[in-house]
Amino acid sequence: MPLVVICGYPCSGKTKRAEELKEYFHRNTERKVYIVGDGALGVDRNSVYADSQKEKEVRASLKAEVERKVNKDDIVILDSVNYIKGYRYELFCLIKHAQTPHCLVYCLTSDEQSSSWNRGRHSAEQYSQDIFDALVQRFEPPDSRNRWDSPLFTILKDDDLPFGSISDALFKRKAPPPNQSTQSQPLTSVNFLYELDKITQEVLMEIFNAQKTSVPGDLISVPGATEKISFLCTIVHVLKTFFFLLIFIIF
């Protein structure tokens, strides 16, 4: 059902926050909780973020995994850098299409603090300094004024997660309305041709009957229309008027 997008600098505590949220929802709801992140893909972060094409493929894989898991019952937590606002917008469009709420958790740290945590990791899990610096430089901070970054929860390193507020954002808010262009249009009524033929016959009968008793200048009524037309009109003109009015009668 809902989607929680976690973003922040590399080594800013995102995975820790994702696990805290997962534990909270397990304790307080009966919903399944899935964490989707870079680690599950088994990729080498330094080689991925050094190659724009590989990075693009990883983002696409994460988005596809989120799309597969998002439904009306489960909670999906996306644990990644998510530093590109255009990518966060794509995720917003995804949840609009799925008609489910979402929120953004921003793990806010200084680059010095994140760099320190990075150096404290096992060597196999560290970002190289060049990759770390590049990701920090490219990071586009979320802005709550953007609908795709809202509701936004900004968390400092010593803060406790506002579990209640996050839960309310996911379960007490309506999902954003889907784009009209992506919605299936209503099908034409199955008896449309029958109704069209019926109205056509009624109009033609009214015209033929008027020919028997009317004289030039008389006004005749068209079934289903509020305005009368002059008998001076030719049959062609009458039919043109009829089809114009027919649009309003049926639709």
Side-chain angles (χ1 to χ4, degrees), residues 77-116:
I77 302 172
L78 179 57
D79 172 24
S80 187
V81 179
N82 296 319
Y83 68 93
I84 303 174
K85 63 181 179 181
Y87 182 62
R88 298 196 296 267
Y89 176 73
E90 290 179 17
L91 295 171
F92 176 71
C93 292
L94 187 154
I95 62 102
K96 284 184 67 176
H97 180 70
Q99 297 187 39
T100 185
H102 93 306
C103 71
L104 193 73
V105 175
Y106 176 26
C107 298
L108 177 59
T109 58
S110 65
D111 53 349
E112 293 86 359
Q113 179 64 68
S114 293
S115 181
S116 174

Side-chain angles (χ1 to χ4, degrees), residues 3-246:
L3 172 66
V4 180
V5 179
I6 300 183
C7 73
Y9 286 164
C11 304
S12 58
K14 298 184 298 298
T15 299
K16 174 187 175 184
R17 300 302 190 178
E19 293 293 342
E20 290 176 354
L21 281 171
K22 182 178 181 180
E23 183 180 354
Y24 171 81
F25 289 129
H26 274 319
R27 288 199 316 265
N28 294 277
T29 72
E30 296 181 354
R31 302 174 187 272
K32 293 180 180 179
V33 184
Y34 298 101
I35 295 180
V36 177
D38 300 337
L41 299 179
V43 297
D44 179 74
R45 62 188 65 191
N46 287 307
S47 62
V48 164
Y49 289 111
D51 186 323
S52 61
Q53 184 58 39
K54 289 182 180 179
E55 182 183 347
K56 186 176 181 179
E57 292 171 358
V58 167
R59 287 200 302 271
S61 297
L62 291 173
K63 179 183 173 183
E65 186 65 16
V66 168
E67 190 169 13
R68 280 192 292 269
K69 293 187 180 301
V70 163
N71 57 51
K72 294 184 178 181
D73 300 312
D74 305 330
I75 301 169
V76 180
I77 302 172
L78 179 57
D79 172 24
S80 187
V81 179
N82 296 319
Y83 68 93
I84 303 174
K85 63 181 179 181
Y87 182 62
R88 298 196 296 267
Y89 176 73
E90 290 179 17
L91 295 171
F92 176 71
C93 292
L94 187 154
I95 62 102
K96 284 184 67 176
H97 180 70
Q99 297 187 39
T100 185
H102 93 306
C103 71
L104 193 73
V105 175
Y106 176 26
C107 298
L108 177 59
T109 58
S110 65
D111 53 349
E112 293 86 359
Q113 179 64 68
S114 293
S115 181
S116 174
W117 286 344
N118 182 49
R119 291 192 298 271
R121 285 184 168 187
H122 188 278
S123 59
E125 298 178 347
Q126 288 184 11
Y127 292 88
S128 70
Q129 193 60 45
D130 288 344
I131 296 298
F132 178 88
D133 292 340
L135 288 174
V136 168
Q137 186 175 11
R138 297 202 299 262
F139 187 82
E140 297 175 326
D143 185 341
S144 61
R145 293 172 295 182
N146 298 326
R147 61 190 185 280
W148 57 88
D149 287 337
S150 179
L152 173 64
F153 300 94
T154 301
I155 311 299
L156 302 178
K157 68 182 184 69
D158 295 324
D159 288 348
D160 293 328
L161 281 173
F163 295 110
S165 297
I166 293 175
S167 181
D168 289 347
L170 297 178
F171 303 124
K172 294 185 179 180
R173 290 174 57 248
K174 291 183 179 180
N179 294 329
Q180 291 298 318
S181 60
T182 64
Q183 296 303 289
S184 299
Q185 298 301 312
L187 298 176
T188 302
S189 173
V190 293
N191 62 346
F192 170 74
L193 292 179
Y194 168 76
E195 294 293 339
L196 178 63
D197 181 66
K198 179 182 176 182
I199 295 174
T200 301
Q201 293 298 326
E202 290 177 355
V203 172
L204 291 177
M205 288 302 300
E206 189 70 26
I207 294 173
F208 293 150
N209 290 334
Q211 286 180 320
K212 300 175 183 178
T213 59
S214 299
V215 296
D218 286 352
L219 297 177
I220 62 174
S221 300
V222 176
T226 57
E227 296 184 7
K228 294 183 178 182
I229 59 175
S230 172
F231 188 67
L232 290 175
C233 295
T234 64
I235 295 296
V236 173
H237 289 158
V238 169
L239 291 177
K240 285 183 179 179
T241 304
F242 158 67
F243 283 115
F244 175 77
L245 294 173
L246 184 61

